[in-house]
């Protein structure tokens, strides 16, 4: 295999920042604010570390955007892409054709996912996966002669992507405001966010209460109109909201009782993040549809999909008729080849049991120590996903006034101190690559503590406490 020199540019950081300002509209960005501040240019990554154009080394506590499960710089994935590009860089699966990478990946996924899943529909991303789900769910009920079952129930503060359907399923008010969302027949119930909304209830009581909101909504709408319920096993972008243990079993019961489809959006929880292959394994639920993306390829190439349980697939297949939906890049051969090798790496390196039995518990221990910091109200984690709640008063779980400002302060300190931790309002969140070592977890926790100290100091200076 020949290797060519990597892309090299002799532009300076300032020159890149200027070109970026002039030409590049970033996702989820306040352009005016970014242009004043200047973008940070990441040029390289290895393992769990990023390197910026100024030579700074940064511990990536977010695995990119929750996706780089096997870590950066994996030659096996680069070589898989290279080989597949030479063999068959592209072909579609529309017109009675397929190719080995998509077929092989489908088989691998069926073997890894819960038993009810024997089929997969490929997409280019998680958002496209959730769009596909809206189409699939409605087609399923149409084929069963119940076209009035259209409503999909989701949750406030859920994240299901950024396409029109994805953003509608999501429960982010600031996204709904832009573009007249949600689209019809998508409704939202409260989230199982005990720390923020649990009041005087115990987590167990609150978990049941939050789950029963689903039953209330079904009764309000009439079960004959409800098609499905969708949820992330652990809400990611909403602030790593880990539901009380009572929550999911109750949701499963309610879905069963009313015969509605259960959809697990596993885009973040899937592929080992929680120490189980899927969040559905962790919580013991039996979804009928599962959205996958992110960790599926560890972010090396864009690919997502929908796992379709027999209950749904059998109807689609037996009733016949074309499912009029698909993407040019559904089952893209290069993305599939890379995803296959990625899944094999996760297996060969035992990253899932390692997360469950070693690194996850170790992170939990280091994380709990952070809850002793004066501005941390709660430190929670499962596997290698976690959150810190920054609060004004620990005991009463009282948040800072002007929610979100302190989180941003802390996030900026993290950046300056070589750590990526993301802020959701005043909740600091992490989801590092699953290859992270104990020593690197120590480094993460030490840096986090230092940044919490700096944040506390700033809060005192600004009279926020
Ligand atoms: C990121 C994410 C999505 C959207 O995936 P994209 O690949 O960004 O379209 C959907 N659901 C969840 C839970 C996510 O975290």
């Amino acid at each position: 295999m020949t290797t060519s020199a990597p892309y090299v540019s002799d532009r300076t950081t300032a020159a890149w920042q200027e070109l970026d300002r002039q030409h590049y509209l970033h996702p989820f960005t306040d352009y005016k604010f970014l242009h004043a501040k200047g973008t940070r240019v990441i040029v390289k990554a290895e393992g769990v570390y990023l390197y910026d154009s100024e030579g700074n080394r940064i511990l990536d506590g977010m695995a990119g955007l929750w996706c780089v499960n096997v870590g950066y710089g994996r030659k096996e994935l680069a070589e898989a892409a290279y080989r597949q590009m030479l063999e068959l860089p592209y072909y579609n699966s529309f017109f009675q054709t397929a190719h080995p990478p998509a077929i092989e990946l489908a088989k691998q996924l069926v073997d890894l996912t819960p038993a009810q899943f024997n089929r997969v529909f490929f997409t280019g991303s998680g958002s496209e996966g959730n769009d596909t789900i809206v189409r699939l769910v409605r087609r399923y009920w149409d084929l069963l002669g119940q076209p009035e079952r259209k409503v999909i129930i989701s949750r406030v503060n859920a994240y299901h992507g950024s396409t029109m359907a994805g953003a509608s399923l999501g429960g982010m008010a600031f996204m709904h405001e832009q573009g007249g969302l949600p689209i019809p027949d998508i409704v939202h119930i409260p989230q199982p966010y005990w720390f923020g909304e649990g009041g005087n209830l115990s987590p167990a009581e609150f978990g049941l209460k939050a789950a029963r909101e689903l039953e209330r909504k079904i009764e309000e709408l009439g079960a004959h109109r409800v098609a499905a319920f969708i949820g992330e096993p652990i809400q990611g972008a909403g602030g790593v909201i880990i539901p009380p243990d009572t929550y999911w079993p109750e949701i499963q019961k309610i879905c069963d009782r009313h015969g509605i489809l259960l959809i697990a959006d596993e885009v973040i929880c899937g592929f080992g993040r929680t120490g189980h292959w899927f969040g559905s394994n962790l919580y013991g639920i039996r979804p009928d549809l599962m959205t996958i993306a992110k960790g599926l390829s560890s972010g090396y190439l864009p690919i997502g999909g929908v796992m379709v349980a027999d209950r749904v697939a059998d109807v689609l297949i037996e009733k016949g008729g074309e499912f009029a939906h698909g993407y040019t890049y559904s089952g893209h051969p290069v993305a599939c080849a890379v995803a296959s090798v990625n899944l094999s790496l996760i297996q060969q390196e035992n990253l899932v049991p390692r997360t469950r039995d070693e690194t996850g518990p170790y992170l939990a221990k280091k994380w709990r120590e952070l809850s002793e910091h004066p501005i941390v109200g709660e430190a929670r984690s499962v596997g290698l996903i976690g959150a810190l709640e920054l609060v004004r008063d620990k005991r009463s779980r009282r948040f800072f006034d002007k929610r979100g400002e302190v989180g941003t302060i802390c996030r900026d300190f993290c950046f300056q101190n070589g750590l990526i931790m993301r802020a959701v309002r005043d909740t600091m969140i992490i989801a590092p690559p699953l290859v992270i070592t104990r020593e690197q977890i120590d480094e993460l926790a030490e840096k986090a503590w230092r940044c919490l100290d700096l944040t506390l100091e700033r809060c005192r200076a600004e009279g926020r406490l």
Side-chain angles (χ1 to χ4, degrees), residues 66 124-128 130 159-162 232 237 265 267-268 293-294:
W66 328 80
S125 68
S127 301
E128 289 178 7
N130 285 323
Y159 188 77
H160 297 298
S162 191
E232 304 151 82
D265 183 337
V267 170
I268 286 175
K294 295 193 170 127

Side-chain angles (χ1 to χ4, degrees), residues 199-219:
N200 294 326
L201 297 180
S202 70
E205 289 165 343
F206 179 70
L208 284 179
K209 176 169 181 270
R212 287 174 186 154
E213 296 282 354
L214 175 60
E215 185 123 65
R216 271 221 337 227
K217 185 55 86 178
I218 293 170
E219 279 162 6

Side-chain angles (χ1 to χ4, degrees), residues 44-51 58-78 271 273 294-301 338 341-343 345-346 349 351 354-355 384 431-437 440:
K44 192 184 151 51
E46 185 64 39
V48 299
Y49 295 103
L50 303 168
Y51 297 85
I58 307 155
L59 174 56
D60 185 5
M62 281 305 296
L65 274 178
W66 328 80
C67 53
V68 188
N69 288 15
V70 297
Y72 296 97
R74 302 302 302 253
K75 293 207 169 47
E76 302 92 327
L77 299 185
F271 308 105
R273 175 61 53 202
K294 295 193 170 127
L296 169 57
S297 65
S298 284
Y300 277 64
L301 282 175
V338 167
V341 175
N342 172 62
L343 297 182
L345 287 176
I346 294 175
E349 296 175 7
L351 293 179
R354 182 169 173 261
T355 300
L384 288 172
L434 305 186
V435 292
I436 195 168
T437 63
Q440 290 163 344

Side-chain angles (χ1 to χ4, degrees), residues 36 41 76 120 135 155 162 180 285 305 316 358 363 373 386 412 430 432:
V41 183
E76 302 92 327
V120 60
R135 303 284 301 276
R155 301 175 300 176
S162 191
I285 51 172
L316 292 176
E358 290 174 48
L363 176 77
H373 195 278
D412 289 349
I430 52 154

Side-chain angles (χ1 to χ4, degrees), residues 81-297:
Y82 177 83
R83 282 195 307 269
Q84 187 57 46
M85 279 197 186
L86 291 178
E87 190 71 22
L88 178 71
Y90 176 75
Y91 201 68
N92 69 72
S93 313
F94 280 39
F95 312 116
Q96 301 173 35
T97 58
H99 41 67
I103 299 169
E104 296 287 348
L105 179 61
K107 167 68 175 143
Q108 238 175 326
L109 284 167
V110 163
D111 290 343
L112 289 172
T113 50
Q116 68 271 30
F117 295 113
N118 283 299
R119 294 198 160 79
V120 60
F121 189 102
F122 287 117
T123 69
S125 68
S127 301
E128 289 178 7
N130 285 323
D131 273 54
T132 299
I133 279 181
V134 173
R135 303 284 301 276
L136 265 176
V137 161
R138 292 184 176 163
R139 172 129 179 102
Y140 168 80
W141 289 114
D142 282 352
L143 287 172
L144 286 179
Q146 299 183 53
E148 67 285 1
R149 281 215 195 231
K150 281 219 166 37
V151 180
I152 302 177
I153 301 176
S154 179
R155 301 175 300 176
V156 171
N157 198 37
Y159 188 77
H160 297 298
S162 191
T163 50
M164 294 292 274
S168 295
L169 290 170
M172 304 280 176
F174 74 100
M175 290 174 73
H176 290 171
E177 281 162 18
Q178 298 177 5
L181 302 178
I183 57 173
D185 290 327
I186 292 176
V187 301
H188 301 81
I189 59 172
Q191 58 183 333
Y193 178 27
W194 177 80
F195 186 84
E197 299 169 4
N200 294 326
L201 297 180
S202 70
E205 289 165 343
F206 179 70
L208 284 179
K209 176 169 181 270
R212 287 174 186 154
E213 296 282 354
L214 175 60
E215 185 123 65
R216 271 221 337 227
K217 185 55 86 178
I218 293 170
E219 279 162 6
E220 178 193 315
L221 293 161
H224 66 286
R225 289 187 54 210
V226 181
F229 172 76
I230 184 168
E232 304 151 82
I234 291 170
Q235 282 156 264
V240 182
I241 294 172
I242 302 172
D245 288 340
T246 49
Y247 181 76
W248 277 110
E250 189 69 12
I251 291 281
Q252 177 78 61
K253 269 193 236 161
I254 294 167
C255 289
D256 289 347
R257 191 150 60 227
H258 297 281
I260 70 175
L261 296 170
L262 175 57
I263 306 161
D265 183 337
E266 294 270 7
V267 170
I268 286 175
C269 291
F271 308 105
R273 175 61 53 202
T274 69
H276 299 261
W277 271 96
F278 295 93
S280 298
N281 302 125
L282 168 67
Y283 290 115
I285 51 172
R286 296 179 319 281
D288 301 297
L289 294 157
M290 236 167 57
T291 327
I292 54 175
K294 295 193 170 127
L296 169 57
S297 65

Side-chain angles (χ1 to χ4, degrees), residues 7 9 55 94 134 155 159 162 173 182 209 283 286 293 315 319 325 336 355 378 380-381 383 396 422 455 465:
Y7 172 76
S9 162
F94 280 39
V134 173
R155 301 175 300 176
Y159 188 77
S162 191
K209 176 169 181 270
Y283 290 115
R286 296 179 319 281
V315 171
K319 299 270 181 181
H325 175 75
C336 287
T355 300
E378 181 180 75
R380 55 178 180 264
S381 72
S396 63
R422 188 168 145 188
T455 305
L465 282 163

